[in-house]
Amino acid sequence: MSPPPRRPAATPESPWLAADMRAQQRELKRQAVLHTAAQLFNERGFHATSLDDIAERLHVTKPTLYYYVKSKDEILLECVRAALGMMQEEIGAVRRAGGRALDQLVACMRSYALIVTQEFGRCVVRTGEDPLPEPLKRELRSLKAGIDREFRRLIDEAIQEGSIVACDPKMAAFMVAGALSWVARWYRPDGELSPEEIADQGIALLLNGLVMKRFAGA
Amino acid sequence: MSPPPRRPAATPESPWLAADMRAQQRELKRQAVLHTAAQLFNERGFHATSLDDIAERLHVTKPTLYYYVKSKDEILLECVRAALGMMQEEIGAVRRAGGRALDQLVACMRSYALIVTQEFGRCVVRTGEDPLPEPLKRELRSLKAGIDREFRRLIDEAIQEGSIVACDPKMAAFMVAGALSWVARWYRPDGELSPEEIADQGIALLLNGLVMKRFAGA
C-alpha cells in the first residue's frame, strides 16, 4: 500500500497576485477600457473622444490607460475586431447546427441585429474603419467580406430550397446587411424598442416586405 | 413721335471678366473642388485624404485651393449639405406632384438610391458627420431628421390608404433608409450594376420581401 499523498507545504500568503491571476486581471481591465471607449465613441463620436475622456470615465490617469492600450486607433481596431469576431462565431454556430437555409438565415439576421445594438457592434457602423491606417482597414474589410459571403451563401441556399424568391443573392445580402447595420445608427439604449423587438420587427419587414399586394414596378 | 432709342455706347473690350462672370467662374471652380474632394474621400477615406491630394488632382496649388474653401471640414460639410439638399428637393417635388402614397414612397426611394450612388451622397454615408465639430453635426442631424420624417409620413399615409402592411412607420422608414443608404458603402462606379438597376432591384426586395411564403416568426 502506498503512503497517503502528502499535502503540499502551505505557501506563505503573498500580498502580490500570482502571475496567472495578474494576467487575468490585466485582461479584465483592458476589456473595461475597450468597452468604455466604445461607449464614448458611440455617444460623442470617435473624433470628439480623447484618451483623457476615456481615462476620466474610468477614474484613472492617462498613463494608466497606456498600460493597457497604445492609442485611440488601437482601441477602435480592437472594438471592431471584437464585434466582427462575435458575428463570425455566431454564424459558425448556426451553420454547425444546420437545418433549413431560411431558418439559418433568420438566426444569423437576429444575431446581426443584436450585435449592432451592443457597444462594439455600434462602433463598427458608427465609426467604421475610416480613421484607421490602410493595412488595418484592409484587415477589417476582409473580416467584413467574410461575413457578407456567409449571408450570400445562405440566401443562395434558401433560393435553391425554394424558401426565398429568385433574386441576386449579392443584392439581397447587401439590403439585409444595410437595413440591419443601420440599427447601429439609430438605436438608443434608452429608446422605446428593445434590441429583441427591433430584431423581430426588422426581420419580419425584410422577409415579408412592406406592401399588401405584390408591387410589380414603378 | 419720340426719337428712336439710342444704343448704348459700345464698351471697349476688357481683358478682365465682368464681375458677374467672375462670380460665376468662381462658383464653378468651387463646385469642382467639392466634387473632386468628395471623390477622393470616397476612394481613400476622409482621414487619408489631404488638401494636398485634392490640389494635386485638380492640378492647382494648395494656396489656390484656399481661395475656394477654408478647410477639409468645410468641404465635407458642403458635400453633405449638397446631397441632403438634393434629397429634400426631390421629396418636395414628389409631394407636390401628389398621387398614391405608395407611388410617392417608391419615387422617393428611387431618388434616395440614386443620390447615394453619386459622389456627394456617398460622402454622407461613407464619411458621415463624425469628423465635424458639434454645432455642424447638429445641423446635419437636423437635415437628416427632416428627410426621415418625410419617409415616415409617406409610410404612414400608405398604411392608411391600405397599400402598406400595418407596421411601425418609424421602424419601416429606418429599414428602408438603412438598406438604401448602405448602397453608398458597396456601390462602385465600375461595378456590374448601374445605379438604376440597384434602385429597381433594391426597391422590389424591400417592398415585396425576400420570402416565397409569408414568414410568421422564428
Side-chain angles (χ1 to χ4, degrees):
Chain A
M1 229 169 84
S2 54
R6 270 210 293 174
R7 286 178 60 189
T11 46
E13 282 283 339
S14 164
W16 286 275
L17 291 171
D20 57 342
M21 275 294 281
R22 276 207 307 276
Q24 205 185 333
Q25 286 284 318
R26 190 177 185 283
E27 184 48 30
L28 266 174
K29 288 180 179 165
R30 192 165 183 273
Q31 284 302 322
V33 169
L34 298 180
H35 194 265
T36 299
Q39 216 169 40
L40 282 162
F41 296 162
N42 294 330
E43 280 171 28
R44 305 182 187 175
F46 180 76
H47 289 80
T49 302
S50 66
L51 285 177
D52 281 314
D53 296 333
I54 301 168
E56 197 193 317
R57 185 165 291 186
L58 286 161
H59 313 295
V60 299
T61 62
K62 201 152 81 170
T64 304
L65 218 56
Y66 280 125
Y67 179 64
Y68 300 100
V69 290
K70 279 198 294 289
S71 65
K72 227 171 78 169
D73 277 6
E74 191 203 324
I75 296 180
L76 176 60
L77 180 71
E78 289 299 319
C79 294
V80 173
R81 260 194 202 137
L84 297 177
M86 237 186 291
M87 192 60 226
Q88 279 180 315
E89 270 177 39
E90 296 275 342
I91 294 174
V94 167
R95 292 305 251 162
R96 282 190 298 278
R100 254 201 336 167
L102 177 60
D103 295 328
Q104 289 185 43
L105 177 67
V106 170
C108 289
M109 286 168 78
R110 186 173 308 279
S111 297
Y112 200 111
L114 296 178
I115 286 172
V116 294
T117 58
Q118 294 170 13
E119 298 296 354
F120 291 158
R122 290 171 82 200
C123 253
V124 178
V125 182
R126 294 172 77 90
T127 307
E129 72 224 17
D130 188 56
L132 296 174
E134 195 52 47
L136 300 180
K137 273 188 195 165
R138 266 200 300 277
E139 182 197 324
L140 295 183
R141 268 186 228 127
S142 117
L143 285 173
K144 286 183 189 170
I147 292 169
D148 181 48
R149 251 193 323 275
E150 288 297 332
F151 271 91
R152 287 188 205 179
R153 196 174 302 162
L154 277 170
I155 291 172
D156 199 29
E157 288 174 24
I159 296 172
Q160 304 308 317
E161 79 185 8
S163 55
I164 278 191
V165 294
C167 65
D168 177 356
K170 186 175 134 184
M171 201 46 214
F174 278 142
M175 288 289 136
V176 166
L180 297 180
S181 295
W182 212 242
V183 172
R185 295 243 183 160
W186 56 266
Y187 170 72
R188 294 285 168 274
D190 56 356
E192 333 171 330
L193 293 173
S194 71
E196 288 73 19
E197 287 168 325
I198 292 171
D200 284 343
Q201 293 186 29
I203 291 169
L205 284 169
L206 289 168
L207 294 184
N208 297 328
L210 289 174
V211 291
M212 294 291 269
K213 233 182 71 192
R214 201 179 148 69
F215 184 81
Chain B
M1 227 171 83
S2 56
R6 270 210 293 173
R7 288 181 57 193
T11 47
E13 280 283 338
S14 162
W16 285 275
L17 291 171
D20 58 342
M21 276 293 281
R22 275 209 308 278
Q24 205 183 332
Q25 285 284 317
R26 189 176 183 284
E27 184 49 29
L28 265 174
K29 288 180 179 164
R30 191 165 184 276
Q31 284 302 321
V33 170
L34 297 181
H35 194 266
T36 299
Q39 218 169 36
L40 281 163
F41 296 162
N42 293 330
E43 282 171 27
R44 304 181 188 176
F46 180 76
H47 289 81
T49 302
S50 66
L51 285 177
D52 282 312
D53 296 331
I54 300 168
E56 198 193 314
R57 185 165 294 185
L58 287 161
H59 312 295
V60 300
T61 62
K62 202 153 83 171
T64 304
L65 217 58
Y66 280 123
Y67 179 64
Y68 301 99
V69 289
K70 280 197 295 289
S71 65
K72 231 173 73 170
D73 277 6
E74 190 203 326
I75 297 180
L76 176 60
L77 179 70
E78 288 299 319
C79 293
V80 173
R81 261 195 201 134
L84 298 177
M86 238 185 287
M87 191 61 227
Q88 278 179 316
E89 271 178 38
E90 296 276 342
I91 293 174
V94 167
R95 292 305 250 162
R96 283 189 299 277
R100 248 196 346 160
L102 178 61
D103 295 327
Q104 290 185 42
L105 177 67
V106 170
C108 289
M109 285 168 77
R110 187 174 308 280
S111 297
Y112 199 113
L114 296 179
I115 286 172
V116 293
T117 59
Q118 292 170 13
E119 298 296 354
F120 292 158
R122 289 171 82 201
C123 254
V124 178
V125 183
R126 293 170 77 87
T127 306
E129 72 225 15
D130 188 56
L132 296 173
E134 196 52 45
L136 300 180
K137 271 189 197 168
R138 265 200 300 276
E139 181 198 323
L140 295 184
R141 266 187 230 127
S142 118
L143 285 173
K144 287 183 189 171
I147 292 169
D148 181 47
R149 249 193 323 273
E150 288 296 334
F151 271 90
R152 288 188 204 179
R153 195 174 303 162
L154 277 169
I155 291 172
D156 200 28
E157 288 174 23
I159 296 172
Q160 304 306 318
E161 80 186 5
S163 55
I164 278 191
V165 294
C167 65
D168 177 356
K170 185 174 134 186
M171 197 53 210
F174 277 143
M175 289 288 136
V176 166
L180 297 181
S181 294
W182 211 242
V183 171
R185 295 242 183 162
W186 57 265
Y187 170 73
R188 294 285 168 275
D190 58 355
E192 329 168 334
L193 294 173
S194 72
E196 288 73 19
E197 288 168 325
I198 292 171
D200 285 342
Q201 293 186 30
I203 290 169
L205 283 169
L206 289 168
L207 294 184
N208 296 327
L210 289 173
V211 291
M212 295 290 268
K213 233 183 69 194
R214 199 178 150 68
F215 183 81

